Amino acid sequence: MQQPIVGYHRDAENHWVAELACGHNQHVRHQPPWVERPWVTTPAGRRRMLGFELACKKCDEGAPPDNPPPT
């Protein structure tokens, strides 16, 4: 299922992670052998991609959100 990017953060290993509207997180790879996504290396590139939709495998699997909404 396609989900828009709503934000970003870095994980414990300092890799970029996209926060999706569904509440799931997805690594945004920017080094080979992963998908080459040079936009993730600059703040302007990340801002430009807010709203861009990525395929969320966790949604397809019915996994609970990584970032549950605040209560």
Side-chain angles (χ1 to χ4, degrees):
M1 176 181 298
Q2 296 290 109
Q3 293 290 335
I5 298 171
V6 296
Y8 303 92
H9 68 269
R10 295 228 190 202
D11 68 7
E13 296 176 353
N14 210 29
H15 297 140
W16 283 105
V17 178
E19 300 164 4
L20 304 179
C22 59
H24 291 121
N25 295 331
Q26 182 171 312
H27 277 89
V28 185
R29 305 294 187 193
H30 54 88
Q31 301 266 335
W34 303 301
V35 174
E36 182 65 32
R37 293 181 173 151
W39 53 266
V40 77
T41 60
T42 66
R46 290 188 299 277
R47 279 191 305 273
R48 187 174 59 248
M49 294 302 284
L50 287 173
F52 181 79
E53 293 188 350
L54 296 175
C56 182
K57 186 175 180 182
K58 291 180 182 179
C59 279
D60 294 338
E61 295 170 349
D66 297 314
N67 304 319
T71 57

